[in-house]
Amino acid sequence: MIEQFLHTALPAAYRLLDIFFGGLIPTAGVGGAVEAVEYVPPSTIYAALVVLAVLGVIFGIALALVALRFVVKVDPKVEQVRDVLPGANCGACGFAGCMGYAEAVVGRQEVATNLCAPGKAAVAEQIAHITGKAVVTTVPRIARVFCQGGASLSGRKFIYNGVLDCTAAVLVAGGDKACDYGCLGYGTCMRACPFDAITMSSDNLPVIDADKCTSCGKCVAACPKQVIEIGPLAKAVVISCHSRDKGVDVKKKCQVGCIACGICVRICPFEAIALENNFARIDFEKCEVCGLCVRKCPTKAIKDHIPVRQKAYINPEKCMGIDVCTKVCPVNAISGDIRSVHAVDQDKCIGCMMCVSRCPKQAIELRQAPTFSSGRKKAKEGATIGA
Amino acid sequence: MWEKIFTIFIASALINNFVFARYLGLCIFFGVTKRMETAVGMSVTFTMVMVISAVLSWFIYMYVMVPYSLGFLKIVIFIGVVAAFVQAADTMMKKIAPALYYKLGIYLALIVTNCIIIAVPLINADEHYGLFESIALALGSGAGFSLALIIMASIRERLELADVPKSFQGLPIAFVLTGLIALAFLGFSGMITL
């Protein structure tokens, strides 16, 4: 009927239809019941359209009926938690995707709220709020590289020409690096990282992106030299060397190795550093991240991961001249007479924050170092802190 | 007639085993065989879906597609039938057997686009099988697939304890195993020619 209507009313359209569907489409080898037909008659096209449409409608209605009849009530909290989660389905929580974790954390009492590694503390807090569970405070952690001896700063035992992978390189006499405890620099950790948080620096050392690192520990397992460890993110001062060689040997092999001189052990105001197996280690429980040891280390083996430290500043209105701060300051940056307003020498202050907690009047606060008055010397100092 | 039905059943289960002789449906095969429990659950679900979708497809093929010469739409229509049926089964299972639903989870959705599920109605249509022959093919294929899953799952559970070289752990050793079992299944070939 449609055919005849088209034929009389719109001959051009009919001819188009005829060309496209009537005569020109070869159908040999399409298979099934049309094997013997040399061209597809328009009636087949209409039949196909009608059949597909009817089947579609029938299936649609059937599915709608089934969905109505077998509706499963989902706890609205599950949906809320799922919306809070990052939705990366990374599996770091140990469940099958974000939805799996959302269901588990709502449905089971023993599942903790802080298992989402990419979401960090903010998500844990929101989940705890939704589920009514106690907030478990997590100490954010990060992978730390315990080696600073890049290609330019450390020696090589021989020239390695094999596969550019640490696990392969370590098979050849423990790797080509002179130091037996250092990073080989062939990037096995970078390839192991599921979050792309590790990049190799121009000096062949892994650099960890604090924003992307979820402290999953894949790089720790991948490194054949055990150079990487997981540590608390807040404890940003790290003695970045694992060498158990004697100081003399370390000095020969690497310019930034720990020579176990013990200066940091003596200088640390919190007695957080101890010498063990010919290298110094910071006890993160005791460390207050003052950064004093970073300044004093003769080989620069201690790394401060805080990019730019803030400086102490004394509020003259609150300062009563009690003089505790001058005694407590490890670098003698604070000066002033008793009972008069004290001042901080911004060039000397290393931002260790020790005076802040000691001031009974809470007159000391940390501020971003003013860059305009710093000049060349300050910029240079900033660079060494960051390095 | 019964003889032919029995022959089709045995042939599709052993001789033309979908996994070991035709190498179809490997994604599910490797996906669910890590544990026996999921393998058995998948076998049952799979066989049921296959039989029911083969029956549905046969009716639609015989009474709709053949009279209107719509054989060329087989693939599209069969996929639609299977997809609609699996979606319905999925919804029902979530309500009736939630434990099984969470076990099979993602694989149930995978059934929709599984090649064995679509191969069975297509073979039925090409061979112009009757209703009972179609059911026999579906049941036989289901039994063959279940056999493959259960053999593989029991081997892979033991494999957990074996000392596999690191580069072979996981999928690589599973593929090697599948190849070996397929070699064994070659022994059936030529026993029955359809």
Side-chain angles (χ1 to χ4, degrees):
Chain A
M1 215 176 99
I2 303 168
E3 209 181 330
Q4 279 186 353
F5 170 74
L6 272 179
H7 194 47
T8 48
L10 291 162
Y14 177 74
R15 208 168 301 132
L16 263 182
L17 198 74
D18 194 50
I19 286 169
F20 280 112
F21 298 113
L24 285 183
I25 301 172
T27 53
V30 180
V34 291
E35 268 162 357
V37 184
E38 298 221 321
Y39 65 96
V40 181
S43 63
T44 308
I45 305 288
Y46 303 143
L49 290 176
V50 170
V51 164
L52 283 179
V54 169
L55 279 179
V57 170
I58 291 175
F59 289 154
I61 292 172
L63 281 180
L65 287 178
V66 167
L68 275 181
R69 174 76 183 72
F70 292 94
V71 66
V72 179
K73 284 208 179 73
V74 183
D75 193 335
K77 283 180 188 169
V78 174
E79 304 259 309
Q80 285 173 13
V81 172
R82 195 198 53 192
D83 290 342
V84 165
L85 290 170
N89 290 320
C90 68
C93 52
F95 293 94
C98 293
M99 194 62 193
Y101 177 51
E103 279 167 6
V105 81
V106 172
R108 305 216 306 265
Q109 196 54 48
E110 74 275 10
V111 177
T113 57
N114 58 358
L115 297 181
C116 181
K120 304 207 170 95
V123 167
E125 203 174 294
Q126 281 173 295
I127 294 175
H129 183 69
I130 295 168
T131 55
K133 289 182 187 176
V135 182
V136 187
T137 46
T138 40
V139 181
R141 303 198 308 158
I142 189 175
R144 296 277 192 217
V145 180
F146 278 68
C147 180
Q148 293 189 95
S152 63
L153 296 173
S154 61
R156 299 266 146 182
K157 275 189 284 195
F158 52 85
I159 295 169
Y160 174 73
N161 271 331
V163 183
L164 295 180
D165 190 271
C166 304
T167 41
V170 81
L171 295 175
V172 187
D176 55 337
K177 192 157 211 163
C179 172
D180 281 336
Y181 308 92
C183 169
L184 294 174
Y186 294 113
T188 299
C189 51
M190 177 181 72
R191 289 185 285 277
C193 181
F195 300 98
D196 291 334
I198 303 181
T199 46
M200 297 304 287
S201 70
S202 56
D203 210 19
N204 274 358
L205 278 178
V207 178
I208 289 163
D209 185 336
D211 291 334
K212 289 182 185 167
C213 178
T214 63
S215 66
C216 67
K218 290 247 162 61
C219 51
V220 178
C223 179
K225 288 287 190 184
Q226 283 93 41
V227 167
I228 307 180
E229 286 181 25
I230 303 283
L233 179 62
K235 306 294 175 180
V237 173
V238 179
I239 302 177
S240 300
C241 183
H242 267 168
S243 175
R244 291 184 194 147
D245 289 337
K246 285 193 183 123
V248 196
D249 299 329
V250 173
K251 200 77 182 159
K252 280 179 200 155
K253 292 170 181 172
C254 179
Q255 294 174 31
V256 285
C258 172
I259 53 172
C261 59
I263 291 177
C264 52
V265 179
R266 287 191 292 277
I267 205 83
C268 180
F270 308 101
E271 294 176 354
I273 309 182
L275 281 180
E276 195 187 325
N277 291 327
N278 281 328
F279 66 94
R281 256 195 105 86
I282 295 177
D283 183 349
F284 289 134
E285 299 275 309
K286 294 181 190 161
C287 176
E288 297 287 334
V289 208
C290 65
L292 198 56
C293 51
V294 180
R295 294 305 189 88
K296 300 288 177 181
C297 180
T299 58
K300 302 263 178 287
I302 308 181
K303 184 166 177 177
D304 189 345
H305 287 272
I306 298 175
V308 180
R309 278 186 180 262
Q310 293 177 317
K311 306 260 174 175
Y313 171 80
I314 296 176
N315 186 341
E317 286 166 17
K318 287 187 185 168
C319 179
M320 308 283 282
I322 299 165
D323 212 33
V324 181
C325 50
T326 48
K327 289 183 185 114
V328 100
C329 179
V331 289
N332 297 324
I334 305 177
S335 56
D337 297 325
I338 296 176
R339 283 177 229 277
S340 66
V341 172
H342 286 52
V344 180
D345 183 342
Q346 297 287 316
D347 282 346
K348 281 185 186 170
C349 177
I350 58 167
C352 69
M353 297 177 286
M354 270 188 268
C355 50
V356 178
S357 56
R358 290 296 187 85
C359 179
K361 296 290 171 190
Q362 277 134 28
I364 308 178
E365 57 191 44
L366 283 170
R367 285 191 183 175
Q368 205 71 43
T371 43
F372 52 88
S373 68
S374 59
R376 184 177 253 176
K377 190 188 164 200
K378 200 68 145 297
K380 229 169 120 192
E381 271 185 2
T384 44
I385 295 168
Chain B
M1 184 204 174
W2 292 109
E3 194 187 334
K4 189 176 181 205
I5 285 171
F6 184 69
T7 316
I8 289 175
F9 177 81
I10 293 294
S12 56
L14 295 177
I15 299 146
N16 295 328
N17 186 294
F18 268 105
V19 175
F20 296 130
R22 298 188 208 239
Y23 311 110
L24 291 180
L26 292 184
C27 45
I28 291 190
F29 177 71
F30 287 113
V32 300
T33 48
K34 278 185 203 133
R35 284 170 58 213
M36 185 57 106
E37 204 182 350
T38 48
V40 172
M42 191 70 199
S43 307
V44 175
T45 328
F46 203 88
T47 313
M48 267 170 49
V49 170
M50 194 131 67
V51 171
I52 297 172
S53 63
V55 171
L56 283 176
S57 311
W58 185 83
F59 274 106
I60 289 176
Y61 184 71
M62 278 318 275
Y63 295 108
V64 180
M65 288 158 75
V66 171
Y68 292 104
S69 320
L70 294 179
F72 64 97
L73 280 179
K74 279 191 296 217
I75 296 181
V76 177
I77 290 183
F78 290 163
I79 286 179
V81 171
V82 173
F85 173 67
V86 171
Q87 183 56 51
D90 185 86
T91 317
M92 285 191 237
M93 213 159 107
K94 200 172 182 179
K95 175 83 173 178
I96 298 166
L100 196 63
Y101 176 81
Y102 287 113
K103 283 256 159 49
L104 299 175
I106 186 165
Y107 302 113
L108 204 75
L110 279 182
I111 290 187
V112 178
T113 48
N114 184 267
C115 31
I116 304 183
I117 295 273
I118 194 71
V120 165
L122 285 178
I123 291 173
N124 284 336
D126 279 349
E127 302 282 334
H128 302 291
Y129 281 155
L131 177 59
F132 290 104
E133 289 163 336
S134 297
I135 295 175
L137 183 77
L139 263 181
S141 307
F145 192 64
S146 310
L147 185 71
L149 283 182
I150 289 165
I151 290 178
M152 195 62 186
S154 48
I155 296 178
R156 279 180 89 175
E157 281 195 343
R158 288 190 176 200
L159 210 60
E160 294 282 306
L161 306 172
D163 183 21
V164 181
K166 199 180 173 194
S167 44
F168 274 100
Q169 278 167 12
L171 271 186
I173 193 75
F175 268 95
V176 172
L177 276 173
T178 314
L180 289 176
I181 306 171
L183 274 180
F185 266 71
L186 265 185
F188 289 116
S189 68
M191 266 171 62
I192 306 172
T193 43
L194 273 175

